[in-house]
């Protein structure tokens, strides 16, 4: 009987903990009496500590994973649980992101205490979001709104909204669902007009390459349909050299044996955009994603982002 628990690394926000607990609970259910003991190990990341500046100014989305990955490499934890949309396309040597839970709803929501929808916000209303993608898409749809950087975990953003710091904010429906807070959503934004971030709604499990014991353990809860979609989306992102300074949206779906990937790039002010769709066999997911990313990169041209620097 194993006495040393399997250590699950995670950030300490309520949403991150909910995701880690979901992984633990699914593993316990899948393995039943054969399940090992589990320990949730909370690791504070640079992204959790730096709250006064946009991520694009201080290192990008890797700030939410760096310390967790260091603990994984050092052997202080056995696996790491992440929001897949927070994961850089390049991982540290020796680590892999190959296991995913079934994907949640990918859509974004608008939350406002005074207005019913994005369309009904009055000119000059202040919308707060930390995401350059959301900022760019709000500006694309409503250039008359004032979009500001707005960081913190879900609960702190809701508290600041209630305090009147902004007129509205945007969050992922998946996170609200996992926290039991879907009722706070004022408007669910259609995916067709407000496409999600790459990886949105998918919980990813990062492990050490070649760790057969942990791979065998987490394979029991792995959802291959989600993994196929993430391969396509992340390959597209890699081809675009996507980072927190690059407003990019992307979403893959598999239906009737066909994978379809949609991708969108925008300037941070939302004024210029290029998008595209590609379809093919699920087993070609990575190649399809790379091809679409290259197509979008060429459509934008080499100066697409450098001429329109991100403003956070």
């Amino acid at each position: 009987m194993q006495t040393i628990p399997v250590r699950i690394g995670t950030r300490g926000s309520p949403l991150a903990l909910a995701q880690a607990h979901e992984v633990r609970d699914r593993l316990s259910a899948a393995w039943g009496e054969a399940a090992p003991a589990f320990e949730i190990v909370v690791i504070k990341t640079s992204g959790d500590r730096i709250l006064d500046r946009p991520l694009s100014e201080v290192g990008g989305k890797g700030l939410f994973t760096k310390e967790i990955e260091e603990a994984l490499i050092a052997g202080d934890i056995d696996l790491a649980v992440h929001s897949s949309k927070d994961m850089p396309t390049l991982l540290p040597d020796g680590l892999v992101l190959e296991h995913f839970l079934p994907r949640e709803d990918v859509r974004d929501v608008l939350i406002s205490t005074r207005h019913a929808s994005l369309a009904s916000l009055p000119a000059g209303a202040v919308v707060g979001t930390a995401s350059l993608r959301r900022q760019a898409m709000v500006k694309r749809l409503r250039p008359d709104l004032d979009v500001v950087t707005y960081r913190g975990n879900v609960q702190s953003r809701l508290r600041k909204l209630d305090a009147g710091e902004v007129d509205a904010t945007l969050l992922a429906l998946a996170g609200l669902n996992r926290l039991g807070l879907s009722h706070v959503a004022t408007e669910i934004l259609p995916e067709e007009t407000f496409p999600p971030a790459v990886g949105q709604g998918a919980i990813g499990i990062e492990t050490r390459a070649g760790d057969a014991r942990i791979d065998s353990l987490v394979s029991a809860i792995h959802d291959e349909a989600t993994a196929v979609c993430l391969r396509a989306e992340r390959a597209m992102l890699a081809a675009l050299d996507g980072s927190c300074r690059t407003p990019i949206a992307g979403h893959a779906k598999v239906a009737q044996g066909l994978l379809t990937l949609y991708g969108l790039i925008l300037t941070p002010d939302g004024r210029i955009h290029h998008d595209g769709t590609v379809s093919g066999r699920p087993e070609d997911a990575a190649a399809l994603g790379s091809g679409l990313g290259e197509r979008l990169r060429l459509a934008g041209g080499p100066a697409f982002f450098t001429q329109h620097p991100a403003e956070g």
Side-chain angles (χ1 to χ4, degrees):
M1 185 177 196
Q2 183 174 338
T3 56
I4 300 175
V6 171
R7 297 156 300 175
I8 301 173
T10 178
R11 296 168 60 201
S13 72
L15 177 55
L17 288 171
Q19 294 178 160
H21 290 157
E22 182 175 347
V23 169
R24 179 199 62 192
D25 294 347
R26 284 177 178 265
L27 286 169
S28 295
W31 286 97
E33 293 183 359
F38 296 101
E39 177 186 354
I40 304 290
V41 180
V42 174
I43 299 170
K44 193 160 190 176
T45 68
S46 300
D48 297 312
R49 288 192 292 268
I50 303 171
L51 296 174
D52 60 340
R53 285 167 286 167
L55 290 179
S56 57
E57 292 182 3
V58 290
K61 62 174 66 179
L63 291 174
F64 286 127
T65 61
K66 179 175 178 288
E67 287 83 359
I68 297 174
E69 290 176 328
E70 289 172 348
L72 188 56
I73 291 168
D76 296 329
I77 58 175
D78 299 299
L79 58 95
V81 176
H82 302 284
S83 293
S84 295
K85 70 176 181 178
D86 289 338
M87 296 297 289
T89 53
L90 287 176
L91 303 181
D93 288 343
L95 299 184
V96 292
L97 182 70
E98 295 178 344
H99 298 93
F100 302 90
L101 298 192
R103 199 170 200 170
E104 246 282 5
D105 199 310
V106 302
R107 293 174 294 176
D108 283 316
V109 302
L110 179 97
I111 306 172
S112 176
T113 57
R114 295 187 289 274
H115 306 285
S117 65
L118 181 63
S120 67
L121 288 171
V126 179
V127 178
T129 174
S131 161
L132 282 183
R133 173 188 59 89
R134 290 173 180 145
Q135 290 179 10
M137 289 198 297
V138 168
K139 291 174 183 176
R140 174 188 172 193
L141 296 170
R142 290 289 311 273
D144 57 322
L145 298 178
D146 183 13
V147 185
V148 300
T149 299
Y150 186 74
R151 290 196 54 205
N153 64 37
V154 170
Q155 286 80 359
S156 65
R157 294 186 205 190
L158 293 176
R159 284 194 296 271
K160 289 192 282 188
L161 176 66
D162 288 340
E165 291 189 24
V166 295
D167 296 298
T169 189
L170 298 132
L171 292 170
L173 180 55
L176 294 179
N177 286 341
R178 291 186 176 116
L179 289 168
L181 291 173
S182 59
H183 61 278
V184 306
T186 305
E187 178 189 23
I188 297 176
L189 299 169
E191 183 189 332
E192 295 73 24
T193 57
F194 214 94
V198 163
Q200 186 152 310
I203 294 174
I205 302 172
E206 190 176 22
T207 59
R208 288 183 290 272
D211 189 335
R213 179 177 72 98
I214 297 301
D215 282 347
S216 174
L217 181 74
V218 298
S219 290
I221 61 172
H222 172 66
D223 185 72
E224 182 60 19
T226 298
V228 165
C229 292
L230 267 289
R231 284 182 207 123
E233 293 174 22
R234 287 175 59 79
M236 181 193 77
L237 193 64
L240 289 165
D241 191 28
S243 71
C244 275
R245 291 188 61 81
T246 311
I248 297 170
H251 183 213
K253 301 177 183 178
V254 176
Q256 298 179 330
L258 187 70
L259 182 144
T260 301
L261 171 67
Y262 171 80
L264 167 71
I265 59 174
L266 309 94
T267 51
D269 61 11
R271 292 177 185 172
I272 305 172
H273 74 276
H274 300 279
D275 65 352
T277 303
V278 65
S279 297
R281 302 185 308 167
E283 51 265 43
D284 297 329
L288 291 166
S290 295
L292 179 57
E294 179 66 13
R295 201 167 92 205
L296 292 174
R297 190 178 65 79
L298 291 174
F304 183 76
F305 295 112
T306 56
Q307 287 184 353
H308 307 275
E311 299 174 354

PDB file of all heavy atoms in Angstrom, residues 9 19 23 79-85 87 96-101 178 199 201-207 226 230:
ATOM      1  N   GLY A   9       0.310  20.016  -7.721  1.00  0.00           N
ATOM      2  CA  GLY A   9       0.676  21.426  -7.612  1.00  0.00           C
ATOM      3  C   GLY A   9      -0.347  22.323  -8.270  1.00  0.00           C
ATOM      4  O   GLY A   9      -0.882  22.015  -9.342  1.00  0.00           O
ATOM      5  N   GLN A  19     -10.104  23.616  -9.567  1.00  0.00           N
ATOM      6  CA  GLN A  19      -9.620  22.774 -10.654  1.00  0.00           C
ATOM      7  C   GLN A  19      -8.755  21.631 -10.120  1.00  0.00           C
ATOM      8  O   GLN A  19      -8.870  20.484 -10.574  1.00  0.00           O
ATOM      9  CB  GLN A  19      -8.841  23.627 -11.656  1.00  0.00           C
ATOM     10  CG  GLN A  19      -9.728  24.632 -12.378  1.00  0.00           C
ATOM     11  CD  GLN A  19      -8.990  25.535 -13.349  1.00  0.00           C
ATOM     12  OE1 GLN A  19      -9.583  26.124 -14.235  1.00  0.00           O
ATOM     13  NE2 GLN A  19      -7.689  25.658 -13.197  1.00  0.00           N
ATOM     14  N   VAL A  23      -9.489  17.519 -10.366  1.00  0.00           N
ATOM     15  CA  VAL A  23      -8.537  16.489 -10.818  1.00  0.00           C
ATOM     16  C   VAL A  23      -8.396  15.408  -9.756  1.00  0.00           C
ATOM     17  O   VAL A  23      -8.457  14.201 -10.054  1.00  0.00           O
ATOM     18  CB  VAL A  23      -7.173  17.126 -11.142  1.00  0.00           C
ATOM     19  CG1 VAL A  23      -6.103  16.051 -11.343  1.00  0.00           C
ATOM     20  CG2 VAL A  23      -7.280  17.990 -12.397  1.00  0.00           C
ATOM     21  N   LEU A  79       2.545  16.271 -10.230  1.00  0.00           N
ATOM     22  CA  LEU A  79       1.825  16.758 -11.405  1.00  0.00           C
ATOM     23  C   LEU A  79       1.321  18.150 -11.096  1.00  0.00           C
ATOM     24  O   LEU A  79       1.219  18.546  -9.939  1.00  0.00           O
ATOM     25  CB  LEU A  79       0.677  15.811 -11.774  1.00  0.00           C
ATOM     26  CG  LEU A  79      -0.402  15.535 -10.724  1.00  0.00           C
ATOM     27  CD1 LEU A  79      -1.608  16.459 -10.915  1.00  0.00           C
ATOM     28  CD2 LEU A  79      -0.833  14.091 -10.796  1.00  0.00           C
ATOM     29  N   ALA A  80       1.053  18.909 -12.138  1.00  0.00           N
ATOM     30  CA  ALA A  80       0.583  20.280 -11.976  1.00  0.00           C
ATOM     31  C   ALA A  80      -0.733  20.456 -12.714  1.00  0.00           C
ATOM     32  O   ALA A  80      -0.902  19.944 -13.821  1.00  0.00           O
ATOM     33  CB  ALA A  80       1.614  21.271 -12.498  1.00  0.00           C
ATOM     34  N   VAL A  81      -1.644  21.178 -12.107  1.00  0.00           N
ATOM     35  CA  VAL A  81      -2.950  21.437 -12.710  1.00  0.00           C
ATOM     36  C   VAL A  81      -3.008  22.903 -13.128  1.00  0.00           C
ATOM     37  O   VAL A  81      -2.741  23.799 -12.328  1.00  0.00           O
ATOM     38  CB  VAL A  81      -4.087  21.112 -11.718  1.00  0.00           C
ATOM     39  CG1 VAL A  81      -5.445  21.473 -12.325  1.00  0.00           C
ATOM     40  CG2 VAL A  81      -4.038  19.645 -11.326  1.00  0.00           C
ATOM     41  N   HIS A  82      -3.347  23.132 -14.384  1.00  0.00           N
ATOM     42  CA  HIS A  82      -3.366  24.485 -14.934  1.00  0.00           C
ATOM     43  C   HIS A  82      -4.650  24.749 -15.705  1.00  0.00           C
ATOM     44  O   HIS A  82      -5.259  23.820 -16.254  1.00  0.00           O
ATOM     45  CB  HIS A  82      -2.219  24.678 -15.938  1.00  0.00           C
ATOM     46  CG  HIS A  82      -0.854  24.440 -15.422  1.00  0.00           C
ATOM     47  ND1 HIS A  82      -0.186  25.332 -14.613  1.00  0.00           N
ATOM     48  CD2 HIS A  82       0.008  23.399 -15.635  1.00  0.00           C
ATOM     49  CE1 HIS A  82       1.030  24.856 -14.344  1.00  0.00           C
ATOM     50  NE2 HIS A  82       1.169  23.694 -14.953  1.00  0.00           N
ATOM     51  N   SER A  83      -5.021  26.029 -15.802  1.00  0.00           N
ATOM     52  CA  SER A  83      -5.947  26.452 -16.849  1.00  0.00           C
ATOM     53  C   SER A  83      -5.143  26.442 -18.139  1.00  0.00           C
ATOM     54  O   SER A  83      -4.117  27.120 -18.244  1.00  0.00           O
ATOM     55  CB  SER A  83      -6.470  27.866 -16.576  1.00  0.00           C
ATOM     56  OG  SER A  83      -7.283  27.894 -15.426  1.00  0.00           O
ATOM     57  N   SER A  84      -5.592  25.677 -19.128  1.00  0.00           N
ATOM     58  CA  SER A  84      -4.785  25.516 -20.342  1.00  0.00           C
ATOM     59  C   SER A  84      -4.522  26.840 -21.044  1.00  0.00           C
ATOM     60  O   SER A  84      -3.486  27.008 -21.696  1.00  0.00           O
ATOM     61  CB  SER A  84      -5.470  24.536 -21.298  1.00  0.00           C
ATOM     62  OG  SER A  84      -5.513  23.249 -20.729  1.00  0.00           O
ATOM     63  N   LYS A  85      -5.420  27.797 -20.912  1.00  0.00           N
ATOM     64  CA  LYS A  85      -5.205  29.078 -21.596  1.00  0.00           C
ATOM     65  C   LYS A  85      -4.059  29.875 -20.970  1.00  0.00           C
ATOM     66  O   LYS A  85      -3.571  30.830 -21.576  1.00  0.00           O
ATOM     67  CB  LYS A  85      -6.486  29.904 -21.616  1.00  0.00           C
ATOM     68  CG  LYS A  85      -6.919  30.467 -20.280  1.00  0.00           C
ATOM     69  CD  LYS A  85      -8.146  31.349 -20.454  1.00  0.00           C
ATOM     70  CE  LYS A  85      -8.587  31.943 -19.122  1.00  0.00           C
ATOM     71  NZ  LYS A  85      -9.749  32.841 -19.283  1.00  0.00           N
ATOM     72  N   MET A  87      -1.154  28.487 -20.310  1.00  0.00           N
ATOM     73  CA  MET A  87       0.076  27.762 -20.613  1.00  0.00           C
ATOM     74  C   MET A  87       0.793  28.311 -21.842  1.00  0.00           C
ATOM     75  O   MET A  87       0.208  28.374 -22.929  1.00  0.00           O
ATOM     76  CB  MET A  87      -0.229  26.285 -20.830  1.00  0.00           C
ATOM     77  CG  MET A  87      -0.779  25.578 -19.604  1.00  0.00           C
ATOM     78  SD  MET A  87       0.401  25.579 -18.255  1.00  0.00           S
ATOM     79  CE  MET A  87       1.638  24.432 -18.879  1.00  0.00           C
ATOM     80  N   VAL A  96       5.836  17.946 -19.984  1.00  0.00           N
ATOM     81  CA  VAL A  96       4.877  17.766 -21.082  1.00  0.00           C
ATOM     82  C   VAL A  96       3.471  18.113 -20.601  1.00  0.00           C
ATOM     83  O   VAL A  96       3.140  17.969 -19.421  1.00  0.00           O
ATOM     84  CB  VAL A  96       4.891  16.318 -21.625  1.00  0.00           C
ATOM     85  CG1 VAL A  96       6.204  16.023 -22.317  1.00  0.00           C
ATOM     86  CG2 VAL A  96       4.643  15.305 -20.506  1.00  0.00           C
ATOM     87  N   LEU A  97       2.669  18.594 -21.533  1.00  0.00           N
ATOM     88  CA  LEU A  97       1.251  18.877 -21.279  1.00  0.00           C
ATOM     89  C   LEU A  97       0.460  17.996 -22.238  1.00  0.00           C
ATOM     90  O   LEU A  97       0.204  18.380 -23.373  1.00  0.00           O
ATOM     91  CB  LEU A  97       0.946  20.361 -21.517  1.00  0.00           C
ATOM     92  CG  LEU A  97      -0.487  20.810 -21.239  1.00  0.00           C
ATOM     93  CD1 LEU A  97      -0.780  20.778 -19.739  1.00  0.00           C
ATOM     94  CD2 LEU A  97      -0.718  22.220 -21.789  1.00  0.00           C
ATOM     95  N   GLU A  98       0.092  16.814 -21.780  1.00  0.00           N
ATOM     96  CA  GLU A  98      -0.524  15.824 -22.663  1.00  0.00           C
ATOM     97  C   GLU A  98      -1.857  15.292 -22.151  1.00  0.00           C
ATOM     98  O   GLU A  98      -2.522  14.540 -22.860  1.00  0.00           O
ATOM     99  CB  GLU A  98       0.450  14.648 -22.868  1.00  0.00           C
ATOM    100  CG  GLU A  98       1.726  15.038 -23.597  1.00  0.00           C
ATOM    101  CD  GLU A  98       2.700  13.888 -23.753  1.00  0.00           C
ATOM    102  OE1 GLU A  98       2.521  12.866 -23.042  1.00  0.00           O
ATOM    103  OE2 GLU A  98       3.639  14.009 -24.559  1.00  0.00           O
ATOM    104  N   HIS A  99      -2.254  15.661 -20.943  1.00  0.00           N
ATOM    105  CA  HIS A  99      -3.489  15.129 -20.373  1.00  0.00           C
ATOM    106  C   HIS A  99      -4.440  16.281 -20.035  1.00  0.00           C
ATOM    107  O   HIS A  99      -4.022  17.293 -19.479  1.00  0.00           O
ATOM    108  CB  HIS A  99      -3.196  14.306 -19.118  1.00  0.00           C
ATOM    109  CG  HIS A  99      -2.340  13.096 -19.385  1.00  0.00           C
ATOM    110  ND1 HIS A  99      -0.969  13.108 -19.259  1.00  0.00           N
ATOM    111  CD2 HIS A  99      -2.676  11.848 -19.801  1.00  0.00           C
ATOM    112  CE1 HIS A  99      -0.492  11.912 -19.568  1.00  0.00           C
ATOM    113  NE2 HIS A  99      -1.495  11.132 -19.904  1.00  0.00           N
ATOM    114  N   PHE A 100      -5.711  16.074 -20.376  1.00  0.00           N
ATOM    115  CA  PHE A 100      -6.722  17.117 -20.188  1.00  0.00           C
ATOM    116  C   PHE A 100      -8.012  16.496 -19.670  1.00  0.00           C
ATOM    117  O   PHE A 100      -8.354  15.359 -20.019  1.00  0.00           O
ATOM    118  CB  PHE A 100      -7.008  17.838 -21.515  1.00  0.00           C
ATOM    119  CG  PHE A 100      -5.800  18.476 -22.131  1.00  0.00           C
ATOM    120  CD1 PHE A 100      -5.002  17.756 -23.024  1.00  0.00           C
ATOM    121  CD2 PHE A 100      -5.447  19.766 -21.827  1.00  0.00           C
ATOM    122  CE1 PHE A 100      -3.880  18.325 -23.600  1.00  0.00           C
ATOM    123  CE2 PHE A 100      -4.317  20.352 -22.399  1.00  0.00           C
ATOM    124  CZ  PHE A 100      -3.528  19.625 -23.275  1.00  0.00           C
ATOM    125  N   LEU A 101      -8.740  17.281 -18.896  1.00  0.00           N
ATOM    126  CA  LEU A 101     -10.090  16.870 -18.505  1.00  0.00           C
ATOM    127  C   LEU A 101     -11.062  17.260 -19.621  1.00  0.00           C
ATOM    128  O   LEU A 101     -10.745  18.090 -20.473  1.00  0.00           O
ATOM    129  CB  LEU A 101     -10.508  17.562 -17.205  1.00  0.00           C
ATOM    130  CG  LEU A 101      -9.680  17.284 -15.954  1.00  0.00           C
ATOM    131  CD1 LEU A 101     -10.420  17.816 -14.732  1.00  0.00           C
ATOM    132  CD2 LEU A 101      -9.350  15.819 -15.793  1.00  0.00           C
ATOM    133  N   ARG A 178     -17.254  26.370 -12.639  1.00  0.00           N
ATOM    134  CA  ARG A 178     -16.489  25.566 -11.690  1.00  0.00           C
ATOM    135  C   ARG A 178     -16.572  26.119 -10.270  1.00  0.00           C
ATOM    136  O   ARG A 178     -16.394  25.385  -9.302  1.00  0.00           O
ATOM    137  CB  ARG A 178     -15.031  25.475 -12.146  1.00  0.00           C
ATOM    138  CG  ARG A 178     -14.863  24.638 -13.419  1.00  0.00           C
ATOM    139  CD  ARG A 178     -13.402  24.433 -13.791  1.00  0.00           C
ATOM    140  NE  ARG A 178     -13.315  23.562 -14.955  1.00  0.00           N
ATOM    141  CZ  ARG A 178     -12.836  23.914 -16.141  1.00  0.00           C
ATOM    142  NH1 ARG A 178     -12.367  25.144 -16.312  1.00  0.00           N
ATOM    143  NH2 ARG A 178     -12.801  23.062 -17.148  1.00  0.00           N
ATOM    144  N   GLY A 199      -7.320  27.277 -25.665  1.00  0.00           N
ATOM    145  CA  GLY A 199      -7.304  26.486 -24.437  1.00  0.00           C
ATOM    146  C   GLY A 199      -8.378  26.832 -23.430  1.00  0.00           C
ATOM    147  O   GLY A 199      -8.472  26.176 -22.385  1.00  0.00           O
ATOM    148  N   GLY A 201     -11.415  26.947 -21.080  1.00  0.00           N
ATOM    149  CA  GLY A 201     -12.347  25.926 -20.618  1.00  0.00           C
ATOM    150  C   GLY A 201     -11.737  24.562 -20.389  1.00  0.00           C
ATOM    151  O   GLY A 201     -12.419  23.654 -19.912  1.00  0.00           O
ATOM    152  N   ALA A 202     -10.437  24.403 -20.713  1.00  0.00           N
ATOM    153  CA  ALA A 202      -9.802  23.092 -20.593  1.00  0.00           C
ATOM    154  C   ALA A 202      -8.795  23.080 -19.446  1.00  0.00           C
ATOM    155  O   ALA A 202      -7.890  23.917 -19.403  1.00  0.00           O
ATOM    156  CB  ALA A 202      -9.092  22.713 -21.891  1.00  0.00           C
ATOM    157  N   ILE A 203      -8.954  22.142 -18.527  1.00  0.00           N
ATOM    158  CA  ILE A 203      -7.983  21.935 -17.454  1.00  0.00           C
ATOM    159  C   ILE A 203      -6.893  21.006 -17.976  1.00  0.00           C
ATOM    160  O   ILE A 203      -7.163  19.898 -18.440  1.00  0.00           O
ATOM    161  CB  ILE A 203      -8.644  21.310 -16.210  1.00  0.00           C
ATOM    162  CG1 ILE A 203      -9.654  22.297 -15.596  1.00  0.00           C
ATOM    163  CG2 ILE A 203      -7.600  20.897 -15.177  1.00  0.00           C
ATOM    164  CD1 ILE A 203     -10.450  21.709 -14.443  1.00  0.00           C
ATOM    165  N   GLY A 204      -5.642  21.472 -17.912  1.00  0.00           N
ATOM    166  CA  GLY A 204      -4.518  20.682 -18.379  1.00  0.00           C
ATOM    167  C   GLY A 204      -3.700  20.145 -17.208  1.00  0.00           C
ATOM    168  O   GLY A 204      -3.577  20.803 -16.172  1.00  0.00           O
ATOM    169  N   ILE A 205      -3.153  18.957 -17.371  1.00  0.00           N
ATOM    170  CA  ILE A 205      -2.325  18.331 -16.341  1.00  0.00           C
ATOM    171  C   ILE A 205      -0.908  18.207 -16.897  1.00  0.00           C
ATOM    172  O   ILE A 205      -0.662  17.477 -17.861  1.00  0.00           O
ATOM    173  CB  ILE A 205      -2.864  16.944 -15.948  1.00  0.00           C
ATOM    174  CG1 ILE A 205      -4.315  17.062 -15.454  1.00  0.00           C
ATOM    175  CG2 ILE A 205      -1.976  16.305 -14.876  1.00  0.00           C
ATOM    176  CD1 ILE A 205      -4.992  15.718 -15.219  1.00  0.00           C
ATOM    177  N   GLU A 206       0.015  18.938 -16.291  1.00  0.00           N
ATOM    178  CA  GLU A 206       1.415  18.933 -16.728  1.00  0.00           C
ATOM    179  C   GLU A 206       2.195  17.922 -15.892  1.00  0.00           C
ATOM    180  O   GLU A 206       2.023  17.853 -14.667  1.00  0.00           O
ATOM    181  CB  GLU A 206       2.004  20.332 -16.563  1.00  0.00           C
ATOM    182  CG  GLU A 206       3.372  20.514 -17.191  1.00  0.00           C
ATOM    183  CD  GLU A 206       3.871  21.949 -17.070  1.00  0.00           C
ATOM    184  OE1 GLU A 206       3.391  22.685 -16.179  1.00  0.00           O
ATOM    185  OE2 GLU A 206       4.749  22.338 -17.870  1.00  0.00           O
ATOM    186  N   THR A 207       3.042  17.156 -16.557  1.00  0.00           N
ATOM    187  CA  THR A 207       3.806  16.108 -15.879  1.00  0.00           C
ATOM    188  C   THR A 207       5.255  16.115 -16.371  1.00  0.00           C
ATOM    189  O   THR A 207       5.597  16.795 -17.329  1.00  0.00           O
ATOM    190  CB  THR A 207       3.198  14.712 -16.150  1.00  0.00           C
ATOM    191  OG1 THR A 207       3.190  14.477 -17.566  1.00  0.00           O
ATOM    192  CG2 THR A 207       1.767  14.620 -15.630  1.00  0.00           C
ATOM    193  N   THR A 226     -10.719  16.456 -26.089  1.00  0.00           N
ATOM    194  CA  THR A 226     -10.197  17.766 -25.683  1.00  0.00           C
ATOM    195  C   THR A 226      -8.751  17.907 -26.102  1.00  0.00           C
ATOM    196  O   THR A 226      -8.332  18.958 -26.606  1.00  0.00           O
ATOM    197  CB  THR A 226     -10.335  17.949 -24.169  1.00  0.00           C
ATOM    198  OG1 THR A 226     -11.718  17.911 -23.815  1.00  0.00           O
ATOM    199  CG2 THR A 226      -9.755  19.276 -23.714  1.00  0.00           C
ATOM    200  N   LEU A 230      -6.925  20.828 -28.345  1.00  0.00           N
ATOM    201  CA  LEU A 230      -5.843  21.643 -27.790  1.00  0.00           C
ATOM    202  C   LEU A 230      -4.569  21.533 -28.629  1.00  0.00           C
ATOM    203  O   LEU A 230      -3.822  22.503 -28.753  1.00  0.00           O
ATOM    204  CB  LEU A 230      -5.569  21.242 -26.339  1.00  0.00           C
ATOM    205  CG  LEU A 230      -6.309  22.043 -25.252  1.00  0.00           C
ATOM    206  CD1 LEU A 230      -5.756  23.446 -25.134  1.00  0.00           C
ATOM    207  CD2 LEU A 230      -7.807  22.088 -25.498  1.00  0.00           C
TER     208      LEU A 230
END
